[in-house]
Amino acid sequence: MKEVIDKARILIEALPYIKEFRRRTVVVKIGGAAIDDLELRQRFAEDVVLLTWVGINVVVVHGGGKQVSHMLTRLGLEPSFVGGVRVTDGPTLEVAEMVLGGSLNKELVRLIGSLGGRAAGLTGKDGGLVRAKRLENEPDLGLVGEIVSVDRSVIDRLHPEFIPIIAPLAPGEQGETLNVNADPFAAGLAAALSAEKLVLLTDVSGVADERGELIPSLTREMARDLIERGALGGGMLPKVKHALRALEAGVRKVHIIDGRLEHALLLEIFTKAGVGTQVVGSDAEQE
Amino acid sequence: MKEVIDKARILIEALPYIKEFRRRTVVVKIGGAAIDDLELRQRFAEDVVLLTWVGINVVVVHGGGKQVSHMLTRLGLEPSFVGGVRVTDGPTLEVAEMVLGGSLNKELVRLIGSLGGRAAGLTGKDGGLVRAKRLENEPDLGLVGEIVSVDRSVIDRLHPEFIPIIAPLAPGEQGETLNVNADPFAAGLAAALSAEKLVLLTDVSGVADERGELIPSLTREMARDLIERGALGGGMLPKVKHALRALEAGVRKVHIIDGRLEHALLLEIFTKAGVGTQVVGSDAEQE
Amino acid sequence: MKEVIDKARILIEALPYIKEFRRRTVVVKIGGAAIDDLELRQRFAEDVVLLTWVGINVVVVHGGGKQVSHMLTRLGLEPSFVGGVRVTDGPTLEVAEMVLGGSLNKELVRLIGSLGGRAAGLTGKDGGLVRAKRLENEPDLGLVGEIVSVDRSVIDRLHPEFIPIIAPLAPGEQGETLNVNADPFAAGLAAALSAEKLVLLTDVSGVADERGELIPSLTREMARDLIERGALGGGMLPKVKHALRALEAGVRKVHIIDGRLEHALLLEIFTKAGVGTQVVGSDAEQE
Amino acid sequence: MKEVIDKARILIEALPYIKEFRRRTVVVKIGGAAIDDLELRQRFAEDVVLLTWVGINVVVVHGGGKQVSHMLTRLGLEPSFVGGVRVTDGPTLEVAEMVLGGSLNKELVRLIGSLGGRAAGLTGKDGGLVRAKRLENEPDLGLVGEIVSVDRSVIDRLHPEFIPIIAPLAPGEQGETLNVNADPFAAGLAAALSAEKLVLLTDVSGVADERGELIPSLTREMARDLIERGALGGGMLPKVKHALRALEAGVRKVHIIDGRLEHALLLEIFTKAGVGTQVVGSDAEQE
Amino acid sequence: MKEVIDKARILIEALPYIKEFRRRTVVVKIGGAAIDDLELRQRFAEDVVLLTWVGINVVVVHGGGKQVSHMLTRLGLEPSFVGGVRVTDGPTLEVAEMVLGGSLNKELVRLIGSLGGRAAGLTGKDGGLVRAKRLENEPDLGLVGEIVSVDRSVIDRLHPEFIPIIAPLAPGEQGETLNVNADPFAAGLAAALSAEKLVLLTDVSGVADERGELIPSLTREMARDLIERGALGGGMLPKVKHALRALEAGVRKVHIIDGRLEHALLLEIFTKAGVGTQVVGSDAEQE
Amino acid sequence: MKEVIDKARILIEALPYIKEFRRRTVVVKIGGAAIDDLELRQRFAEDVVLLTWVGINVVVVHGGGKQVSHMLTRLGLEPSFVGGVRVTDGPTLEVAEMVLGGSLNKELVRLIGSLGGRAAGLTGKDGGLVRAKRLENEPDLGLVGEIVSVDRSVIDRLHPEFIPIIAPLAPGEQGETLNVNADPFAAGLAAALSAEKLVLLTDVSGVADERGELIPSLTREMARDLIERGALGGGMLPKVKHALRALEAGVRKVHIIDGRLEHALLLEIFTKAGVGTQVVGSDAEQE
């Protein structure tokens, strides 16, 4: 009996966090190990359903680069990257849309459905959600886009009854489909939805400084300082930049956390410790 | 870190129960030790808030006989009972209304409020919620009533934003105020609200048979058999009768549980084991 | 037949007043004789129901000092006042909450219910309606509070279907319950609701000047002048101050009227003559 | 002061009637003196506004035969009747539509508007409200119709914010406009709206028996008996028949009252005495 | 089969126009030949129904001067004009109200109804839609008004389910009914509704310059220049002035088109060519 | 000018069809040439947008067998069929989900979006729309399903603002994904939505009898007769069976039409001739 009472206590401990975040919007970007690994994916789906049922409006944006590359290879196409961003010609885009919009998106929908949640899998093309334009880059990256504007109405129709799961594809200015990196895609949605939190699930422990020390909490000023002194590695630099842009656009907090950890999302939201790095506007918000 | 992941697992274990009961109505009657004891009362308030935040529409009906008797004594009045029911003359009713509708009701409101929940304390007189009539009894019990009808509209206005906390007083046929026993009052509300569950917090472990063995689950048939063969003691007999009446009026399950246990309400709803006796319509529902 | 036509004419005379005030909010504070006297209380309930049925959103705040003192005495406790305000220790507060929140509040609910109106009796603790803090005073008055903020949502849920009847108790900063004077409590609600009118039912004819002459209408400027030249007696001074504060916070008119007069509330709203003193922002509003 | 308190009492006396009829629909047919006489018309508009403001959903159907005949004469056309019903050829219909739908309808709208009410004047053609067919009669009456069906949606859109004022014209089966007698038109609307009351303002005191004695209350059975024994005069016979049909179609009560009396409508609704004849389903409803 | 496919293509060609204007408000003033001629009137009704069904919120304002004059003559009254505006004494107003509010208004309602549309015919007096005042003029024009304010609520209640058809009569400051010219009446409604378009159906091809050349598109600047240099004839000058006022009040475009052309309204909205003169804010909007 | 007026006439000719079907639901299954051919696909998207904008609630279900087979081949997998139904092992299902849910679904979304429509592409797994079970067949067809139940809530949330485009995949009883034939999938949705019409776009002219003669209209009885006498070929037989089942489940009409014809959908809905075979309940509905 003691054991069950302990369980009850743990549920009750979550009360203040539920209180703080219910009826708020949380945008979560899942990528890397968290989506590749069957077990972690299942845990993630559980977290999303629980957050939904305590009243949080979750929006999931997912990547899936590994699966796209795998399918390209199976089809005899050569994955190609410039500075970490996929060069996307027509055939590559077609594969990306199939794998992201068809396989992975529907797999997340299925997992959430099997737990009793109700997810609706979309892309940025559906319901006029996102308009994008081609990313200017030297060398040219092909059909790679960046968000121009967001029309939140399809998400507002689905919330709170359904959980939107979004694959980061979006229509460009000529009506062509563009591949958008999932991090800035999620940041753009979070900004348009005035989200309480943007959570980026990554394959590292969080933001680390030059000596590799994890930094649990960053103000905007500290983040800019890290960028200027070149302390951030190639993978983390753009993530921190997206985080700063999201904060400027009205998102309250950005969390860069370790998606390799089971239930990382739930722990981030429901425990004081936190499980990675939070980026906030100022010192005052660092509680 | 293992500890926090264990916590996450416990939260996740609650998922199927949340799924089953969200958007459903649960009527809880709190009385006895659970309302007398400061610590248990605090735990109860936590349970109610958590249930509310995972989407369950909770209605609380509370007794408070001990506090009424205490105040009567302080005022030099003599508490008097017939067969466990309080004989209620005018001065006694006045005290009952003050203590139940004023002190205890507002104390529960305060506790829930201090946890971030929003409770609205009412009686059966407020918003035209309940109409009652005098209970016919030999000898006469005075201003003691039984429910004639329920108009659920004030509860529908408050749900799901506010948690109704109801003191069991109701207007009689001549407009006089009547004292209603909290058990049948809660059963009447549960029936009118087509509640998923009626939970009665008592000062015993549950329903026991002649040999004092706790019965974890009773069908209606089994319950009627216990009654007929006289196996139920004086305190439990009317509770089981109210439970049967609630089931007949459309409540899905009635739980008679041990309010002396911390978080009894939460454990009943969120664990497989259960913590007392459930009364259900038939074998098929005994899962 | 002439008599019934005269009746019809009187009903029709009310048309312009109904037109002016329907769908507006009127906060009424009832205290003193109007709540002590059975007959006046009944008349008051009739007025409230009629105002509600012609489309005015009424909120009632009630005092009940006499009844609290009476119960304190019955319990062997000594009522104690400093400058007209009750010194409220723990036991006194407990009694105040019982009497105001339990007895008187539910009595008003019952009266309105017996006329076919639907009232819901609450305190400032219910539904998170009011947050208060301890009143700073020398000497200390104990558990006496003043309003810090009002969250009108529970009233908005109840209106226009239900009439909120509010006992002036509110949670303090440490979660303790505080006793708030009914006049500033009503003024605070009126301000938060942007009420059309705040009506204070008192035991005098209205505001009188140094020579005891009733002043039918006061502008803010006139009121400030009366205060400065010390023309207002001890009981009236704080009422006029609350009136001024309510006007500054957006209430259109404040009426200080004679609650000892039958149907004083109805007469104030529905006749040109008025029945006491109105306090308005400026000359232009003195029609 | 006594006088104003008497006024308050008269207002309060209306409470039980307001309680009974608020949120109910009352269809009133005005014709004869009540619409011809400037003073009576003004009183009628006041009654309608007051009823609206105490929460009754009023629908007004108006006749205007005298004005139509007057305009026909001015235009050199000869009014012609068969058994009290106007023979309506094309030019007559054109005049009837102008006078009823243009002059009288808008005059009632104006009067109500000048009292602060908001009326919307329509005909049975507007919003698809009524479909009619030509009345079969020997001799043929021309463009005279009877109601085939009612689509209440335009009235539901207008209520309770606006008071529909309806001139009894309706489209026939070939799309032609038909003139419908205002009594059966009002009865048909009352039936379609499941009205609480249908009130017919006439130029007599009510229904009288063979000896000319006013009958204050008629059951359906009594009414049928009067018809069978030929006790009803030519003008009253069809009115009682329409009343019976309305009762059969679900209207609760029909009142045939004296429109020559000031405020007849208000008096009928707000006094016990009543001012004409009520027709009800059975003895039990004759209170 | 080719023919039907051609039909499909024509339907599809309308898509971009439908896209642009759906859920927008278009106010159309019909007068002159378009309302006098049976065939044109029928075509106009068809256009209105089609626009409604593709999602455009149409409001129709109609004149009818010819019919008013005709009826005046039939009644032995002498139509009289000053500078193109009708001098309106009491008897003239009565006739104008009958003809506009009774005959023509209901004829348009009937036509739309026979096509399956649902129109509700009103005047500016109904539902408190318009408040007007007497037009100051030398010599005095009698009961002729100009719009003072518009309360759009009755139109908002009717849209999109019902099509408001408005006759340009409005209550003056003393409650008297005033006759308002249909052009400024329509312009005033368009401004109050922030209409996308105001379309004036006239008896000329559009706005012509001094040499009689049709000007397909005018900016405000060009229009002012035409006015200043006296290029506009007597009938067109006030129309262009009303157009300018509507543009200043927020209407996006004003179209002065040839109502003698079948389906002029539909063609204006659904074809690139346009069928008259558009008046726009600036060059940029002249697409 | 004559040409534009002809255009207007063609638009107006569509009025009675728009009237009949607006606010009704039409489920369209697109497959075969209509989805394979770029030009036809574009025409189809135009038709869907136009139908939506005249107020019809369209739901699109799409097949795409050719594209699935093509991708299977590119990946070195062998498409395999039994009696026209694809044998679906795990790898085949994965490809089907990618191609149907990812490529084709999003291509239809894109086309509709580029015309200004707002489509949301889903599968039967999204929003808990469909539950399926494995189709029993000898030999076993693998992961092929049939619909067990439909929960229309996600479609009700999207309509009328968004057009649902559904790929026929659905969760099975063990949570596995199943491939469902698009014809019965569309029929099942049409039944659950009580659709006015189910339109199946095929690669033949319609239903033909033994002699190859197109049958423009079939009653249920005639259809059953054709089936019994073996007159229907292998491809058409199941389609007619699905049509019959849809009619029994409450769909009003089923159309089996030639998707190879441009704008076939629009022509079917908007012309009297029709373009294939309609299947209706009885003779009476064959208009």
Side-chain angles (χ1 to χ4, degrees), chain B residues 121-285:
Chain B
L122 303 172
T123 70
K125 293 156 72 175
D126 293 271
L129 176 60
V130 168
R131 289 197 307 136
K133 64 172 184 190
R134 286 178 71 147
L135 192 69
E136 287 175 38
N137 196 69
E138 192 57 52
D140 184 44
L141 296 164
L143 296 164
V144 172
E146 60 179 337
I147 286 187
V148 170
S149 66
V150 174
D151 174 347
R152 58 185 285 174
S153 42
V154 75
I155 288 184
D156 289 340
R157 291 298 280 172
L158 293 170
H159 270 161
E161 201 175 351
F162 301 98
I163 308 163
I165 312 291
I166 321 279
L169 298 149
E173 286 166 326
Q174 272 75 46
E176 80 280 24
T177 300
L178 299 175
N179 192 10
V180 182
N181 183 280
D183 286 333
F185 192 99
L189 278 193
L193 295 165
S194 302
E196 183 69 18
K197 281 179 188 290
L198 165 65
V199 182
L200 305 176
L201 293 179
T202 66
D203 282 358
V204 293
S205 308
V207 181
D209 62 18
E210 297 91 333
R211 292 157 311 176
E213 297 262 321
L214 178 73
I215 310 170
S217 185
L218 275 175
T219 59
R220 280 201 250 175
E221 207 174 312
M222 290 160 70
R224 280 196 208 99
D225 180 57
L226 283 174
I227 293 170
E228 274 165 33
R229 71 180 201 244
L232 299 174
M236 191 49 72
L237 180 61
K239 281 180 202 292
V240 172
K241 283 181 173 171
H242 297 314
L244 286 174
R245 235 169 278 138
L247 289 174
E248 271 145 33
V251 177
R252 270 223 335 125
K253 281 194 189 176
V254 181
H255 300 267
I256 298 172
I257 65 172
D258 190 345
R260 298 167 307 181
L261 194 68
E262 278 191 22
H263 296 302
L265 175 59
L266 201 63
L267 294 172
E268 167 46 46
I269 307 236
F270 278 173
T271 63
K272 199 164 186 66
V275 292
T277 299
Q278 68 174 0
V279 195
V280 296
S282 65
D283 269 354
E285 293 171 81

Side-chain angles (χ1 to χ4, degrees), chain F residues 4-193:
Chain F
V4 293
I5 294 180
D6 282 351
K7 282 192 182 182
R9 285 210 180 112
I10 284 164
L11 288 165
I12 292 300
E13 269 174 37
L15 271 187
Y17 302 100
I18 297 176
K19 183 185 165 187
E20 190 173 351
F21 300 122
R22 63 203 314 258
R23 302 213 184 123
R24 303 288 169 81
T25 300
V26 171
V27 176
V28 188
K29 181 257 169 166
I30 175 173
I35 198 165
D36 295 342
D37 183 277
L38 254 171
E39 187 68 22
L40 289 172
R41 202 154 72 203
Q42 170 77 25
R43 294 292 88 78
F44 174 75
E46 290 169 358
D47 291 2
V48 167
V49 171
L50 187 67
L51 293 180
T52 300
W53 283 349
V54 297
I56 299 173
N57 286 328
V58 182
V59 177
V60 175
V61 174
H62 64 86
K66 211 162 165 179
Q67 290 84 344
V68 172
S69 293
H70 179 65
M71 182 56 65
L72 286 171
T73 309
R74 281 181 65 192
L75 288 163
L77 299 164
E78 188 68 43
S80 143
F81 293 86
V82 168
V85 182
R86 186 184 300 280
V87 180
T88 308
D89 56 9
T92 301
L93 182 91
E94 199 188 331
V95 170
E97 185 158 26
M98 282 197 318
V99 170
L100 296 177
S103 296
L104 280 171
N105 187 276
K106 298 313 170 192
E107 166 65 1
L108 290 173
V109 166
R110 189 190 67 77
L111 277 175
I112 288 170
S114 70
L115 295 162
R118 298 211 282 177
L122 302 173
T123 69
K125 294 155 72 175
D126 293 272
L129 176 60
V130 168
R131 289 198 305 138
K133 65 172 185 189
R134 286 178 71 148
L135 192 69
E136 287 175 39
N137 196 68
E138 192 56 52
D140 184 44
L141 295 164
L143 296 164
V144 172
E146 62 180 335
I147 286 187
V148 170
S149 66
V150 174
D151 174 348
R152 57 185 286 175
S153 42
V154 75
I155 288 183
D156 289 340
R157 290 299 280 172
L158 294 170
H159 269 160
E161 202 175 350
F162 301 99
I163 308 163
I165 311 292
I166 321 279
L169 298 149
E173 286 167 325
Q174 273 74 46
E176 80 280 24
T177 300
L178 298 175
N179 192 8
V180 181
N181 182 280
D183 285 335
F185 192 99
L189 278 192
L193 295 165

Side-chain angles (χ1 to χ4, degrees), chain C residues 65 68-70 72-73 77-89 92 139-142 144 179:
Chain C
V68 172
S69 293
H70 180 64
L72 285 171
T73 309
L77 299 163
E78 188 69 44
S80 144
F81 293 86
V82 168
V85 182
R86 186 184 300 280
V87 180
T88 308
D89 55 9
T92 300
D140 184 43
L141 295 164
V144 172
N179 192 9

